[in-house]
Amino acid sequence: VVEGLILHPDNEHLIFPLGSTIIVRHIISRTQTFLKGHDNEVTTIACSRSGKYIASGQKTFQGLKADIIIWNFADRSLLQRLSMHKVCINSLAFSPSDKYLASVGGVDDKNTLIIWDIEQSKQWSYKRRKTQLRQLFGQQGSFNVKVFQQGRLEALLSHLNLCPDLDNRHKR
């Protein structure tokens, strides 16, 4: 799992996947909590800047949707289960405000970028907006998931948070 070991913002917990489970390990006491909710291998994880949320994405089988789970860090509970990507989730990132989660699907999903409004359970798909994403990132040539490394997802989300008309963008 790329970026599969995260130090929580409280600097006391490590977060990492193990198969279909997310492990939250307290560094000092060496205690662990197991977050179970995925039915297949976890492929990516992210932690919000405030530390309030953890997100995890999985892979699944051909023709099935892959789940993203948003966890409440405080009580280690499953907050939301999101399903729109096909087969695999390649990357996840929270906005600096913790209001949005960005997810990028795999090859079967044509590397679709989806922005999820966590509070209002809405999503925006940027599958057909490759030109605007290239303009934002200055990318030439083919469009693929490599452009969406954690820092660049944060840059995109920061850009979207500054747009007052976000609610008017391609809702699904």
Side-chain angles (χ1 to χ4, degrees):
V1 176
V2 177
E3 297 179 12
L5 180 64
I6 296 174
L7 177 63
H8 188 270
D10 69 6
N11 289 324
E12 293 186 6
H13 292 89
L14 287 175
I15 304 161
F16 57 94
L18 182 62
S20 63
T21 302
I22 305 298
I23 312 292
V24 179
R25 181 179 173 90
H26 191 266
I27 297 168
I28 299 164
S29 69
R30 297 185 179 186
T31 57
Q32 298 181 131
T33 305
F34 301 94
L35 306 180
K36 297 183 178 197
H38 290 287
D39 58 8
N40 208 327
E41 182 181 333
V42 172
T43 55
T44 184
I45 59 173
C47 184
S48 65
R49 182 178 288 176
S50 70
K52 183 178 178 180
Y53 303 116
I54 299 170
S56 53
Q58 72 174 62
K59 71 177 184 177
T60 189
F61 301 101
Q62 192 70 32
L64 299 176
K65 298 216 184 245
D67 287 344
I68 297 167
I69 297 178
I70 300 176
W71 307 90
N72 179 330
F73 181 79
D75 63 8
R76 314 296 198 268
S77 64
L78 191 153
L79 210 57
Q80 290 186 43
R81 183 179 300 271
L82 311 170
S83 297
M84 276 195 64
H85 289 290
K86 298 174 187 171
V87 183
C88 186
I89 311 299
N90 278 345
S91 187
L92 295 168
F94 285 95
S95 66
S97 67
D98 292 356
K99 184 176 179 183
Y100 302 102
L101 176 70
S103 60
V104 177
V107 174
D108 292 305
D109 202 28
K110 297 184 178 147
N111 302 322
T112 299
L113 168 67
I114 297 175
I115 307 297
W116 306 86
D117 184 326
I118 297 169
E119 297 169 3
Q120 298 188 19
S121 298
K122 293 180 186 175
Q123 64 271 355
W124 295 269
S125 173
Y126 284 81
K127 184 176 184 177
R128 294 185 178 93
R129 302 184 56 89
K130 294 176 186 176
T131 303
Q132 290 168 335
L133 292 172
R134 283 189 186 117
Q135 288 170 352
L136 179 62
F137 291 107
Q139 182 192 9
Q140 302 296 320
S142 65
F143 177 80
N144 63 48
V145 77
K146 291 179 184 175
V147 74
F148 293 108
Q149 296 168 349
Q150 185 76 13
R152 292 186 178 213
L153 275 170
E154 287 292 341
L156 173 65
L157 291 171
S158 294
H159 172 76
L160 292 174
N161 280 338
L162 295 174
C163 296
D165 64 338
L166 183 62
D167 289 333
N168 296 325
R169 295 178 188 241
H170 300 274
K171 296 178 185 176
R172 286 185 104 185

